[in-house]
Amino acid sequence: MLLPLILATCYLSSVYGLEVIKNQGDIHVVNKVLAPDGSPRDTVAAGVSADTANTPGPIITGNKGDRFTLNVIDELVNTSLLTSTSIHWHGLFQHTTNWADGPSGVNQCPIAANNSFTYDFQVPGQAGTFWWHSHFRTQYCDGLRGPFIVYDPEDPHADLYDVDDENTIITLADWFHVSTNTLVMTPGPPISDSTLINGVGRFPNGPNVSLAVVNVEKGKRYRMRLISMSCDSNFMFSIDGHDMTIIEADGISTKPVTVNTLQIFAAQRYSFILNANQSVDNYRIRAQPPSTTSHSIGFKDGINSAILRYKGAPDSEPTTSPPQDVVLLDDAQLAPLENPGAPGGHFPGGADYTLNLTLGFQTGPTGLGEFLMNGTQFIPPNVPVLLQILSGTQRAQDLLPAGSVYGLPLNKTIEINLFPNETIGGPHPFHLHGHAFDVVKGFKMNEPNYENPVRRDTTPVNGTEATTIRFRTDNPGPWFLHCHIDFHLDLGLAVVLAEDIPDVKSVNPVPEEWFKLCNNVTNQ
């Protein structure tokens, strides 16, 4: 029965249980009381069985070109939390399987409690560091998230490292001691209580929870896969005494760049080479969030940290110091290893179609905030956008939610200018489903770069200057473009790009079980 799982408190060990799903399997989504930082609370957890459910959930792995068959079983019963769910496979393009992308209200109706749904898709041409998470309101902030790694047997960077496995994954998350259902109804921005690294952490003046340990052996080189599963906070990440050579950003291999500190925003990922060439010892892994989004500031008593432990080092906490001469990664330094260069003409406006989107914020009639895109708050429709298209709606302006859906033609170069308009709560990490894009002008860039801009699927928007991205429309379907601060998305900071509407139905054959989801849907 599920009830005893809800009542039993589980204190996590120093490294969360490494459950691995290779290509296919069940993901049980359950309620469970967990204490990842020593403070017990109700969560939404996942595991290969209900008994083993945890946060983060299972690591999903496979190889480039593989097929994945993942059966999500909703066993949620705690009505103080959301009891329906949906899962997004972040960074995977879902070409011909738009129905499996996951966002509730865009690509599917949510999976209702006591029901299941199988996501069946392939990853042709993609490899790298991805993740999976709930895409139903703010549910992933309550724990429903996990890594998704697609290995490349012909990795062009393979000669740079010796080890790349489940033990070299590092996940970062902000953690709240109350449910997001409570947080979203409270005026003002949510403030996290702790930072979790590989599922564990400490909060100021809290218990001395065992920190996560990443084990290495002197003389070996490791491909570390860093994933931000954050709901809001970005992190300044570093490892005492060690450089990081970046070789991947958001599933795209990059030319190597060596730094000792990087800033990672919600939903972003990096692979970096760590050379275990220091003295055998324990070294502190640091992930510092900003004071505007977290109560957990600094590293006193081991908050915001984990341990890099060399084989042969004592079982003790580090006494090491952070780098004195900070070499911070500048996103503009990164260039794709293969096929660099933005599509279209290498000049402003050199695209087939330009879309300007301006962020905004206002206080709604209830006193809660509302985020806007071109003056419109995104409110998920009762009928998913994909279902509206499959049912015969063929013009973007006729699709719901009104004012939030933009039609894009097939096989064109698209330029999107995201104007931050000094909107509160930034930087806003914007994620595009179904594509990676070239960041022609990032928020810290003075001049555009068309020759070899970084290519990724999530980039921050902030301040007064527009962020400009480009991509090709080669993937018919409705795709979400949204801020990945989940609280901002829940308050409307999103639009839908309806790509090649006439061909959506023929390109994306939908299984019968998908239609049944809308028959079972609840408001939970």
Side-chain angles (χ1 to χ4, degrees), residues 29-107:
V29 179
V30 305
N31 294 119
K32 201 168 188 178
V33 175
L34 298 172
D37 63 0
S39 179
R41 58 152 292 191
D42 293 321
T43 71
V44 181
V48 298
S49 71
D51 289 342
T52 61
N54 211 335
T55 181
I59 301 168
I60 299 171
T61 68
N63 287 337
K64 184 177 182 178
D66 279 0
R67 178 181 178 182
F68 292 85
T69 308
L70 302 163
N71 183 36
V72 176
I73 304 167
D74 186 338
E75 300 176 43
L76 298 171
V77 297
N78 187 338
T79 55
S80 72
L81 302 170
L82 299 168
T83 57
S84 293
T85 194
S86 69
I87 302 296
H88 171 53
W89 321 97
H90 186 112
L92 300 178
F93 297 154
Q94 299 293 352
H95 184 65
T96 74
T97 49
N98 179 272
W99 56 270
D101 194 45
S104 174
V106 178
N107 305 94

Coordinates of all heavy atoms in Angstrom, one line a residue, residues 29-107:
V29 N 5.7 7.2 -9.6 CA 5.6 8.5 -9.0 C 4.7 8.4 -7.8 O 3.5 8.1 -7.9 CB 5.0 9.5 -10.0 CG1 5.0 10.9 -9.4 CG2 5.9 9.5 -11.3
V30 N 5.3 8.7 -6.6 CA 4.6 8.5 -5.3 C 4.8 9.7 -4.4 O 5.7 10.5 -4.6 CB 5.1 7.2 -4.6 CG1 5.0 6.0 -5.5 CG2 6.5 7.3 -4.2
N31 N 4.0 9.8 -3.4 CA 4.2 10.7 -2.3 C 5.1 10.0 -1.2 O 4.9 8.8 -0.9 CB 2.9 11.1 -1.7 CG 2.1 12.0 -2.6 OD1 1.0 11.6 -2.9 ND2 2.6 13.1 -3.0
K32 N 6.0 10.7 -0.7 CA 6.9 10.2 0.3 C 7.4 11.3 1.2 O 7.7 12.4 0.7 CB 8.0 9.4 -0.4 CG 8.8 8.4 0.4 CD 9.7 7.6 -0.5 CE 10.3 6.4 0.2 NZ 11.1 5.5 -0.7
V33 N 7.5 11.0 2.5 CA 8.2 12.0 3.3 C 9.7 11.8 3.3 O 10.2 10.7 3.6 CB 7.7 11.9 4.8 CG1 8.4 12.8 5.7 CG2 6.2 12.2 4.9
L34 N 10.4 12.8 2.8 CA 11.9 12.7 2.7 C 12.5 13.9 3.5 O 11.9 14.9 3.7 CB 12.3 12.7 1.2 CG 11.8 11.6 0.4 CD1 12.2 11.9 -1.1 CD2 12.4 10.3 0.8
A35 N 13.7 13.7 3.8 CA 14.5 14.8 4.5 C 15.9 14.9 3.9 O 16.9 14.7 4.5 CB 14.6 14.4 6.0
P36 N 15.9 15.4 2.7 CA 17.2 15.5 2.0 C 18.2 16.5 2.7 O 19.4 16.3 2.5 CB 16.9 16.0 0.6 CG 15.5 16.6 0.7 CD 14.8 15.8 1.8
D37 N 17.7 17.4 3.4 CA 18.6 18.3 4.2 C 18.4 18.2 5.7 O 18.8 19.0 6.5 CB 18.4 19.8 3.8 CG 17.0 20.3 4.0 OD1 16.2 19.6 4.6 OD2 16.8 21.5 3.7
G38 N 17.7 17.1 6.1 CA 17.4 16.8 7.5 C 16.1 17.4 8.0 O 15.7 17.1 9.2
S39 N 15.3 18.1 7.2 CA 14.0 18.6 7.6 C 13.0 17.8 6.8 O 12.8 18.0 5.6 CB 13.9 20.1 7.3 OG 12.7 20.6 7.6
P40 N 12.2 16.9 7.5 CA 11.2 16.1 6.8 C 10.1 16.9 6.2 O 9.6 17.9 6.8 CB 10.7 15.2 7.9 CG 11.7 15.3 9.0 CD 12.3 16.6 8.9
R41 N 9.7 16.5 5.0 CA 8.5 17.1 4.4 C 7.9 16.2 3.4 O 8.6 15.2 2.9 CB 8.8 18.4 3.7 CG 9.9 18.4 2.6 CD 9.8 19.5 1.6 NE 8.6 19.2 0.7 CZ 8.3 19.9 -0.4 NH1 9.1 20.9 -0.8 NH2 7.2 19.6 -1.1
D42 N 6.6 16.4 3.0 CA 6.0 15.6 2.0 C 6.6 16.0 0.6 O 6.8 17.2 0.4 CB 4.5 15.9 2.0 CG 3.7 15.5 3.2 OD1 4.0 14.4 3.7 OD2 2.8 16.2 3.7
T43 N 6.8 15.0 -0.2 CA 7.4 15.2 -1.5 C 6.7 14.4 -2.6 O 5.8 13.6 -2.3 CB 8.9 14.8 -1.5 OG1 9.0 13.4 -1.5 CG2 9.7 15.4 -0.4
V44 N 7.0 14.7 -3.8 CA 6.7 13.9 -5.0 C 8.0 13.3 -5.5 O 8.9 14.0 -5.9 CB 6.0 14.8 -6.1 CG1 5.6 13.9 -7.2 CG2 4.8 15.5 -5.5
A45 N 8.1 12.0 -5.3 CA 9.3 11.3 -5.6 C 9.1 10.2 -6.6 O 7.9 9.9 -7.0 CB 9.8 10.6 -4.3
A46 N 10.2 9.6 -7.2 CA 10.1 8.7 -8.2 C 11.1 7.6 -8.1 O 12.2 7.8 -7.5 CB 10.2 9.3 -9.6
G47 N 10.8 6.4 -8.5 CA 11.7 5.3 -8.4 C 11.3 4.1 -9.4 O 10.2 4.2 -9.9
V48 N 12.1 3.1 -9.5 CA 11.8 2.0 -10.3 C 10.7 1.1 -9.6 O 10.1 0.3 -10.2 CB 13.0 1.1 -10.6 CG1 14.0 1.9 -11.5 CG2 13.7 0.6 -9.4
S49 N 10.5 1.4 -8.3 CA 9.4 0.9 -7.5 C 9.0 1.9 -6.6 O 9.7 2.9 -6.3 CB 9.8 -0.4 -6.8 OG 10.7 -0.1 -5.7
A50 N 7.8 1.8 -6.0 CA 7.3 2.8 -5.0 C 8.2 2.8 -3.8 O 8.5 3.8 -3.2 CB 5.9 2.4 -4.6
D51 N 8.7 1.6 -3.4 CA 9.6 1.5 -2.2 C 10.9 2.3 -2.3 O 11.4 2.8 -1.4 CB 9.9 0.0 -1.9 CG 8.7 -0.7 -1.4 OD1 7.7 -0.1 -0.9 OD2 8.7 -2.0 -1.4
T52 N 11.4 2.3 -3.6 CA 12.7 2.9 -3.8 C 12.7 4.4 -4.2 O 13.7 5.0 -4.5 CB 13.5 2.2 -4.8 OG1 12.8 2.2 -6.1 CG2 13.8 0.7 -4.3
A53 N 11.5 5.0 -4.3 CA 11.3 6.3 -4.8 C 12.1 7.3 -4.0 O 12.2 7.2 -2.8 CB 9.8 6.7 -4.8
N54 N 12.7 8.3 -4.7 CA 13.5 9.3 -4.1 C 13.6 10.5 -4.9 O 12.9 10.6 -5.9 CB 15.0 8.7 -4.0 CG 15.7 9.2 -2.8 OD1 15.5 10.3 -2.2 ND2 16.7 8.4 -2.3
T55 N 14.3 11.5 -4.4 CA 14.6 12.7 -5.2 C 16.0 13.0 -5.2 O 16.6 13.1 -4.0 CB 13.7 13.9 -4.8 OG1 14.0 15.1 -5.6 CG2 14.0 14.3 -3.3
P56 N 16.8 13.1 -6.3 CA 16.3 12.9 -7.6 C 15.8 11.5 -7.8 O 16.2 10.6 -7.1 CB 17.5 13.3 -8.5 CG 18.4 14.0 -7.6 CD 18.2 13.5 -6.2
G57 N 15.1 11.3 -8.9 CA 14.6 10.0 -9.3 C 15.7 9.2 -10.1 O 16.8 9.6 -10.1
P58 N 15.2 8.1 -10.7 CA 16.2 7.3 -11.4 C 17.0 8.0 -12.5 O 16.5 9.0 -13.1 CB 15.3 6.2 -12.0 CG 14.1 6.2 -11.2 CD 13.9 7.6 -10.7
I59 N 18.2 7.6 -12.7 CA 19.0 8.0 -13.8 C 18.6 7.2 -15.1 O 18.6 6.0 -15.0 CB 20.5 7.8 -13.6 CG1 21.0 8.6 -12.3 CG2 21.3 8.2 -14.8 CD1 22.3 8.2 -11.8
I60 N 18.2 7.9 -16.1 CA 17.8 7.2 -17.4 C 19.0 7.3 -18.3 O 19.6 8.4 -18.5 CB 16.6 7.8 -18.0 CG1 15.4 7.7 -17.0 CG2 16.2 7.2 -19.3 CD1 14.2 8.5 -17.5
T61 N 19.4 6.2 -18.9 CA 20.6 6.2 -19.7 C 20.3 5.4 -21.0 O 19.4 4.5 -21.1 CB 21.8 5.5 -19.1 OG1 21.6 4.1 -18.9 CG2 22.1 6.2 -17.8
G62 N 21.0 5.7 -22.1 CA 21.0 5.0 -23.3 C 22.0 5.6 -24.2 O 22.9 6.4 -23.8
N63 N 22.0 5.1 -25.5 CA 23.0 5.6 -26.5 C 22.4 6.4 -27.6 O 21.2 6.3 -27.8 CB 23.7 4.4 -27.1 CG 24.7 3.7 -26.1 OD1 25.2 4.4 -25.2 ND2 25.0 2.5 -26.4
K64 N 23.2 7.2 -28.2 CA 22.7 8.0 -29.3 C 22.0 7.1 -30.4 O 22.5 6.1 -30.7 CB 24.0 8.6 -30.0 CG 23.7 9.6 -31.1 CD 25.0 10.2 -31.6 CE 24.8 11.2 -32.7 NZ 26.1 11.8 -33.2
G65 N 20.8 7.6 -30.7 CA 20.0 6.8 -31.7 C 19.0 5.8 -31.1 O 18.2 5.2 -31.8
D66 N 19.1 5.6 -29.8 CA 18.3 4.6 -29.1 C 16.8 5.0 -29.0 O 16.5 6.1 -29.1 CB 18.8 4.3 -27.7 CG 20.0 3.4 -27.6 OD1 20.5 3.0 -28.7 OD2 20.5 3.2 -26.5
R67 N 16.0 3.9 -28.8 CA 14.6 4.1 -28.5 C 14.4 4.0 -27.0 O 15.1 3.2 -26.3 CB 13.8 3.0 -29.2 CG 12.3 3.1 -28.9 CD 11.6 2.0 -29.6 NE 10.1 2.0 -29.3 CZ 9.3 1.1 -29.8 NH1 9.7 0.1 -30.6 NH2 8.0 1.1 -29.5
F68 N 13.6 4.9 -26.4 CA 13.3 4.8 -25.0 C 11.8 4.6 -24.8 O 10.9 5.2 -25.5 CB 13.6 6.2 -24.4 CG 15.1 6.4 -24.3 CD1 15.8 7.0 -25.4 CD2 15.9 6.0 -23.2 CE1 17.2 7.2 -25.4 CE2 17.2 6.2 -23.2 CZ 17.9 6.8 -24.2
T69 N 11.4 3.7 -23.9 CA 10.1 3.3 -23.6 C 9.9 3.4 -22.1 O 10.4 2.5 -21.4 CB 9.7 1.9 -24.1 OG1 10.1 1.8 -25.5 CG2 8.2 1.6 -23.9
L70 N 9.3 4.5 -21.6 CA 9.3 4.8 -20.2 C 7.8 4.9 -19.8 O 7.1 5.8 -20.2 CB 10.0 6.1 -20.0 CG 11.5 6.0 -20.5 CD1 12.1 7.4 -20.6 CD2 12.3 5.2 -19.5
N71 N 7.4 4.0 -18.9 CA 6.0 3.9 -18.4 C 5.9 4.7 -17.1 O 6.5 4.2 -16.1 CB 5.6 2.5 -18.2 CG 4.2 2.3 -17.8 OD1 3.3 3.1 -18.2 ND2 3.9 1.4 -16.9
V72 N 5.3 5.8 -17.1 CA 5.1 6.6 -15.9 C 3.8 6.2 -15.2 O 2.7 6.3 -15.8 CB 5.1 8.1 -16.2 CG1 4.8 9.0 -15.0 CG2 6.4 8.5 -16.9
I73 N 3.9 5.8 -13.9 CA 2.8 5.3 -13.2 C 2.5 6.3 -12.0 O 3.3 6.5 -11.1 CB 3.1 3.9 -12.6 CG1 3.5 2.9 -13.7 CG2 1.9 3.4 -11.8 CD1 4.1 1.6 -13.2
D74 N 1.3 6.9 -12.1 CA 1.0 7.9 -11.1 C 0.3 7.3 -9.9 O -0.9 6.8 -10.0 CB 0.0 9.0 -11.8 CG -0.3 10.1 -10.8 OD1 -0.2 10.0 -9.6 OD2 -0.7 11.2 -11.4
E75 N 1.0 7.2 -8.8 CA 0.4 6.6 -7.6 C 0.3 7.7 -6.5 O 0.3 7.4 -5.3 CB 1.3 5.5 -7.1 CG 1.5 4.4 -8.1 CD 2.4 3.3 -7.7 OE1 2.4 2.9 -6.5 OE2 3.3 2.9 -8.5
L76 N 0.1 8.9 -6.9 CA 0.0 10.0 -5.9 C -1.3 10.1 -5.2 O -2.4 9.9 -5.9 CB 0.2 11.4 -6.7 CG 1.6 11.5 -7.3 CD1 1.7 12.8 -8.2 CD2 2.7 11.6 -6.3
V77 N -1.3 10.3 -3.9 CA -2.5 10.3 -3.1 C -2.6 11.5 -2.2 O -3.7 11.8 -1.6 CB -2.6 9.0 -2.3 CG1 -2.7 7.8 -3.1 CG2 -1.5 8.9 -1.3
N78 N -1.6 12.3 -2.0 CA -1.6 13.4 -1.1 C -2.2 14.6 -1.7 O -1.6 15.3 -2.6 CB -0.1 13.7 -0.6 CG 0.0 14.7 0.5 OD1 -0.9 15.5 0.7 ND2 1.1 14.7 1.2
T79 N -3.4 14.9 -1.3 CA -4.1 16.0 -2.0 C -3.7 17.4 -1.5 O -4.2 18.4 -2.0 CB -5.6 15.9 -1.7 OG1 -5.9 15.8 -0.3 CG2 -6.2 14.6 -2.4
S80 N -2.7 17.5 -0.6 CA -2.1 18.8 -0.3 C -1.1 19.2 -1.3 O -0.6 20.3 -1.4 CB -1.5 18.8 1.1 OG -0.3 18.0 1.1
L81 N -0.7 18.2 -2.2 CA 0.2 18.4 -3.3 C -0.6 18.1 -4.6 O -1.7 17.6 -4.5 CB 1.4 17.5 -3.2 CG 2.3 17.6 -1.9 CD1 3.3 16.5 -1.9 CD2 3.0 19.0 -1.9
L82 N 0.0 18.3 -5.7 CA -0.6 18.0 -7.0 C -0.7 16.5 -7.1 O 0.3 15.8 -6.8 CB 0.1 18.6 -8.2 CG 0.2 20.1 -8.2 CD1 1.2 20.6 -9.2 CD2 -1.2 20.7 -8.5
T83 N -1.8 15.9 -7.6 CA -1.8 14.4 -7.7 C -1.8 14.0 -9.2 O -1.7 12.8 -9.4 CB -3.1 13.9 -7.0 OG1 -4.2 14.5 -7.6 CG2 -3.0 14.1 -5.5
S84 N -2.0 14.8 -10.1 CA -1.8 14.5 -11.5 C -0.3 14.8 -11.8 O 0.4 15.5 -11.1 CB -2.7 15.3 -12.5 OG -4.0 14.9 -12.3
T85 N 0.2 14.3 -13.0 CA 1.5 14.6 -13.4 C 1.7 14.5 -14.9 O 0.8 14.1 -15.6 CB 2.5 13.6 -12.7 OG1 3.8 14.1 -12.8 CG2 2.4 12.2 -13.3
S86 N 2.9 15.0 -15.3 CA 3.3 14.7 -16.7 C 4.8 14.9 -16.7 O 5.4 15.6 -15.8 CB 2.7 15.7 -17.7 OG 3.2 17.1 -17.5
I87 N 5.5 14.3 -17.6 CA 7.0 14.2 -17.6 C 7.5 14.8 -18.9 O 7.1 14.4 -20.0 CB 7.5 12.8 -17.4 CG1 7.0 12.2 -16.0 CG2 9.1 12.9 -17.4 CD1 7.5 13.0 -14.8
H88 N 8.5 15.7 -18.8 CA 9.2 16.3 -19.9 C 10.6 15.8 -19.9 O 11.3 15.7 -18.9 CB 9.2 17.8 -19.8 CG 10.1 18.5 -20.8 ND1 10.0 18.3 -22.2 CD2 11.1 19.4 -20.6 CE1 10.9 19.0 -22.8 NE2 11.6 19.7 -21.9
W89 N 11.1 15.4 -21.1 CA 12.5 14.9 -21.3 C 13.3 16.0 -21.8 O 13.5 16.2 -23.0 CB 12.4 13.6 -22.2 CG 11.2 12.8 -21.8 CD1 10.0 12.9 -22.5 CD2 11.0 11.9 -20.7 NE1 9.1 12.0 -21.9 CE2 9.7 11.4 -20.8 CE3 11.9 11.4 -19.8 CZ2 9.2 10.5 -19.9 CZ3 11.4 10.5 -18.8 CH2 10.1 10.0 -18.9
H90 N 13.9 16.8 -20.9 CA 14.4 18.1 -21.2 C 15.6 18.0 -22.1 O 16.7 17.4 -21.8 CB 14.8 18.8 -19.9 CG 15.2 20.2 -20.1 ND1 14.5 21.3 -19.6 CD2 16.3 20.8 -20.7 CE1 15.1 22.4 -19.9 NE2 16.2 22.1 -20.6
G91 N 15.5 18.7 -23.2 CA 16.6 18.8 -24.2 C 16.5 17.8 -25.4 O 17.2 18.0 -26.4
L92 N 15.6 16.8 -25.3 CA 15.4 15.9 -26.4 C 14.4 16.4 -27.3 O 13.3 16.9 -26.9 CB 15.0 14.5 -25.8 CG 16.0 13.9 -24.9 CD1 15.5 12.6 -24.3 CD2 17.3 13.7 -25.5
F93 N 14.7 16.4 -28.6 CA 13.9 17.1 -29.6 C 12.5 16.5 -29.9 O 11.7 17.2 -30.5 CB 14.7 17.2 -30.9 CG 16.0 18.0 -30.8 CD1 17.1 17.8 -31.6 CD2 16.2 19.0 -29.8 CE1 18.2 18.5 -31.5 CE2 17.3 19.7 -29.6 CZ 18.4 19.4 -30.5
Q94 N 12.3 15.3 -29.7 CA 11.0 14.6 -29.9 C 10.5 14.8 -31.3 O 9.3 15.0 -31.6 CB 10.0 15.1 -28.9 CG 10.3 14.9 -27.4 CD 10.3 13.4 -27.0 OE1 9.9 12.6 -27.8 NE2 10.7 13.1 -25.8
H95 N 11.5 14.7 -32.3 CA 11.0 14.8 -33.7 C 10.2 13.6 -34.0 O 10.5 12.4 -33.8 CB 12.3 14.8 -34.6 CG 11.9 14.9 -36.1 ND1 11.4 16.1 -36.6 CD2 12.1 14.1 -37.1 CE1 11.2 15.9 -37.8 NE2 11.6 14.7 -38.2
T96 N 9.0 13.8 -34.5 CA 7.9 12.9 -34.9 C 7.1 12.4 -33.7 O 6.2 11.6 -33.8 CB 8.4 11.7 -35.7 OG1 9.1 10.8 -34.9 CG2 9.2 12.1 -36.9
T97 N 7.5 12.8 -32.5 CA 6.8 12.4 -31.2 C 6.5 13.6 -30.4 O 6.7 13.6 -29.1 CB 7.7 11.3 -30.4 OG1 9.0 11.8 -30.3 CG2 7.7 10.0 -31.1
N98 N 6.0 14.6 -31.0 CA 5.6 15.8 -30.2 C 4.7 15.5 -29.0 O 4.8 16.2 -28.0 CB 5.0 16.8 -31.2 CG 4.6 18.1 -30.5 OD1 3.5 18.2 -30.0 ND2 5.4 19.1 -30.5
W99 N 3.9 14.5 -29.2 CA 2.9 14.1 -28.2 C 3.6 13.6 -26.9 O 3.0 13.6 -25.8 CB 2.0 13.0 -28.7 CG 2.7 11.8 -29.2 CD1 3.2 11.6 -30.5 CD2 3.2 10.7 -28.4 NE1 3.8 10.4 -30.5 CE2 3.9 9.8 -29.3 CE3 3.0 10.3 -27.1 CZ2 4.4 8.6 -28.9 CZ3 3.6 9.1 -26.6 CH2 4.3 8.3 -27.5
A100 N 4.9 13.2 -27.0 CA 5.7 12.7 -25.9 C 6.5 13.7 -25.2 O 7.3 13.4 -24.3 CB 6.6 11.5 -26.3
D101 N 6.4 15.0 -25.6 CA 7.3 16.0 -25.0 C 7.0 16.3 -23.6 O 7.8 16.7 -22.8 CB 7.2 17.3 -25.9 CG 8.3 18.3 -25.6 OD1 9.5 17.8 -25.4 OD2 8.0 19.5 -25.4
G102 N 5.7 16.3 -23.2 CA 5.4 16.3 -21.8 C 4.6 17.5 -21.2 O 3.9 17.3 -20.2
P103 N 4.8 18.7 -21.7 CA 4.1 19.9 -21.0 C 2.6 19.7 -21.0 O 2.0 19.7 -22.1 CB 4.6 21.1 -21.8 CG 5.9 20.7 -22.4 CD 5.8 19.2 -22.7
S104 N 2.0 19.8 -19.8 CA 0.6 19.7 -19.7 C 0.0 21.0 -20.3 O 0.5 22.1 -20.0 CB 0.2 19.6 -18.2 OG -1.2 19.6 -18.0
G105 N -1.1 20.8 -21.1 CA -1.7 22.0 -21.7 C -1.2 22.3 -23.0 O -1.8 23.1 -23.8
V106 N 0.0 21.8 -23.4 CA 0.6 22.1 -24.7 C 0.7 20.8 -25.5 O 0.1 20.7 -26.6 CB 2.0 22.7 -24.5 CG1 2.7 22.9 -25.9 CG2 2.0 24.0 -23.8
N107 N 1.3 19.8 -24.9 CA 1.5 18.5 -25.7 C 0.7 17.4 -25.1 O 0.7 16.3 -25.8 CB 3.0 18.1 -25.7 CG 3.9 19.3 -26.2 OD1 4.4 20.1 -25.4 ND2 4.0 19.4 -27.5

